[in-house]
Amino acid sequence: MKAYLILEDGNVFTGVSIGAMKEVISEIVFNTSMTGYLEVLTDPSYAGQAVVMTYPLIGNYGVCYEDMESYKAWPDGFIVREISRRASNFRSEDSIETFLKNQNISGIAGIDTRALTKILREKGTMNGMITSNENYNLDEVINKLKEYSPKEVVQKVTCKEKIEYKPEKFIKKVALIDLGTKNNIAKSLVKRGCAVTVYPAATKAEEIIGEKPDGIMLSNGPGDPKECSDIIKEIKKLYDSDIPIFAICLGHQLMALANGGDTHKLKYGHRGANHPVKNLKNNRVYLSSQNHGFVVTEGSIDKQIAEPSFVNVNDGTIEGLHYLGKNIFTVQFHPEACPGPQDSEFLFDEFIHMMEVSK
């Protein structure tokens, strides 16, 4: 069946429908990863967005459910050049087409994703509609697109009650605040001997502090960080508690906002598995996995509170902060990256060391 992708600027792409047969309106973003489409689809940070994969052939190694980063798929839509009809992988349990249908994700294939990505890079991220209705009214659709704005996406993706992960022998207790966490964050901590308790995003700081964790992790997540005003107030209390804290992505942004910093939206964001970041301490450059549309504004935090620790090599934006006089560091990228790259996985070891030293 024919499908159409209609952009807010009036551009229309014609392709074929894949996945669920439903009409969706969403923010259209692109990801440059060559692998990891299942991890992208199951990353809660994509809630409220439809993802364009710039790599032309998607689905060629099928679906292995063990690789899912959460219990379900989160994007509103999935946009590809070509979807593989046959998977070649001994681990494959399903096709990507079947997965999209079962997860109720609408998609479109057969469009020029290079041209689409160029539009998003030149004009910036914009809203779009995926539809199979060939009798659409362009003016009416554009008006709907301009009015669309996803709200309360963190509340949508966070867990509803506490979840615990315990290795047989553990050395540290870590409280993981679920703002839209990926499974591999908890796995990375458990692998290092940590007992992890995952808390819903709205959990009060007093409850977390009262359970006396050795460290606190603030996870990744979707949406505009400034909309999380209640969560920011609780993070400020966690900051004042002197418990070691490691924050990733949205958690990094919220910690900055809790300490007087500011954030702003990038023109088209950073989404992919090949973004270079520079460690300002040792001047080494690491390849990183990233998925964010907002960044901490340079110079917005008092220099006596925090200093930049990582910067993006491509555009110079802040990729990490070290909080002075505190056992707190935060990064914009994903050190738990799965399927990769794993260049910055050592940051989990630094978090373990920080918890040990603080004791």
Side-chain angles (χ1 to χ4, degrees):
M1 179 179 289
K2 272 190 177 181
Y4 307 91
L5 172 64
I6 306 167
L7 297 182
E8 192 177 334
D9 68 347
N11 271 294
V12 179
F13 291 83
T14 303
V16 295
S17 177
I18 56 174
M21 305 292 286
K22 65 174 184 177
E23 188 172 276
V24 295
I25 291 177
S26 192
E27 182 182 40
I28 312 298
V29 300
F30 65 87
N31 185 297
T32 58
S33 300
M34 295 176 68
T35 61
Y37 51 80
L38 182 63
E39 289 86 343
V40 168
L41 282 165
T42 54
D43 182 348
S45 294
Y46 283 109
Q49 297 175 330
V51 186
V52 183
M53 300 300 294
T54 61
Y55 188 69
L57 183 62
I58 298 298
N60 49 356
Y61 56 86
V63 169
C64 177
Y65 289 100
E66 184 184 352
D67 296 339
M68 290 176 65
E69 282 294 339
S70 65
Y71 69 94
K72 68 183 290 290
W74 291 103
D76 295 325
F78 199 53
I79 303 162
V80 300
R81 176 69 183 94
E82 182 180 346
I83 196 158
S84 179
R85 292 172 294 173
R86 184 178 301 159
S88 178
N89 176 10
F90 74 97
R91 295 178 69 236
S92 178
E93 300 170 76
D94 221 335
S95 70
I96 188 68
E97 171 79 8
T98 301
F99 179 82
L100 292 171
K101 287 179 180 177
N102 291 342
Q103 293 287 321
N104 200 29
I105 304 296
S106 292
I108 182 171
I111 70 169
D112 189 342
T113 50
R114 293 175 301 176
L116 174 56
T117 302
K118 284 182 178 180
I119 290 171
L120 297 176
R121 283 180 60 91
E122 290 168 6
K123 298 185 178 181
T125 295
M126 65 183 78
N127 294 333
M129 173 188 282
I130 298 173
T131 181
S132 297
N133 178 14
E134 60 183 15
N135 297 316
Y136 63 83
N137 182 300
L138 185 59
D139 291 334
E140 289 181 3
V141 171
I142 290 174
N143 287 334
K144 286 182 181 179
L145 295 177
K146 290 180 177 178
E147 293 172 359
Y148 173 79
S149 178
K151 298 291 183 184
E152 298 185 343
V153 279
V154 170
Q155 287 75 11
K156 178 182 176 182
V157 301
T158 189
C159 60
K160 307 307 177 190
E161 55 187 24
K162 288 194 293 186
I163 304 169
E164 294 188 350
Y165 300 91
K166 286 186 178 180
E168 289 185 13
K169 294 182 180 180
F170 63 89
I171 56 172
K172 297 295 177 186
K173 286 171 54 181
V174 176
L176 171 56
I177 315 302
D178 180 11
L179 306 168
T181 189
K182 294 167 66 180
N183 288 340
N184 214 45
I185 293 178
K187 287 180 182 178
S188 296
L189 292 167
V190 171
K191 184 171 70 174
R192 290 167 172 78
C194 294
V196 180
T197 302
V198 184
Y199 292 85
T203 305
K204 296 297 182 183
E206 290 81 4
E207 178 182 344
I208 296 168
I209 295 168
E211 297 192 7
K212 298 182 178 179
D214 297 300
I216 298 170
M217 280 218 63
L218 307 179
S219 82
N220 60 292
D224 184 343
K226 290 180 181 177
E227 290 185 357
C228 303
S229 54
D230 291 339
I231 299 172
I232 291 168
K233 292 175 185 175
E234 300 306 314
I235 289 176
K236 179 58 176 173
K237 296 175 188 175
L238 297 176
Y239 171 88
D240 293 334
S241 72
D242 289 331
I243 299 172
I245 299 175
F246 177 22
I248 293 172
C249 200
L250 179 61
H252 154 81
Q253 298 162 11
L254 296 182
M255 180 60 75
L257 290 171
N259 286 281
D262 194 13
T263 58
H264 66 273
K265 190 172 186 177
L266 294 170
K267 186 176 181 180
Y268 48 82
H270 299 153
R271 298 176 182 88
N274 58 351
H275 291 261
V277 296
K278 183 179 181 181
N279 186 332
L280 298 179
K281 186 177 180 180
N282 60 18
N283 285 327
R284 292 187 66 179
V285 173
Y286 304 89
L287 284 182
S288 68
S289 179
Q290 302 203 9
N291 172 18
H292 60 98
F294 293 82
V295 291
V296 175
T297 303
E298 184 178 2
S300 64
I301 297 185
D302 190 323
K303 292 181 180 179
Q304 295 183 341
I305 294 177
E307 62 183 8
S309 54
F310 288 87
V311 294
N312 189 291
V313 175
N314 291 332
D315 61 14
T317 53
I318 292 176
E319 292 279 0
L321 288 166
H322 168 244
Y323 286 80
L324 306 178
K326 291 281 187 177
N327 289 311
I328 299 175
F329 67 95
T330 68
V331 293
Q332 181 64 75
F333 51 93
H334 287 263
E336 85 295 342
C338 190
Q342 297 174 338
D343 295 26
S344 56
E345 194 178 25
F346 68 89
L347 291 172
F348 285 100
D349 298 317
E350 290 193 2
F351 180 47
I352 302 295
H353 178 69
M354 187 169 69
M355 287 189 284
E356 292 172 345
V357 170
S358 71
K359 288 293 183 182

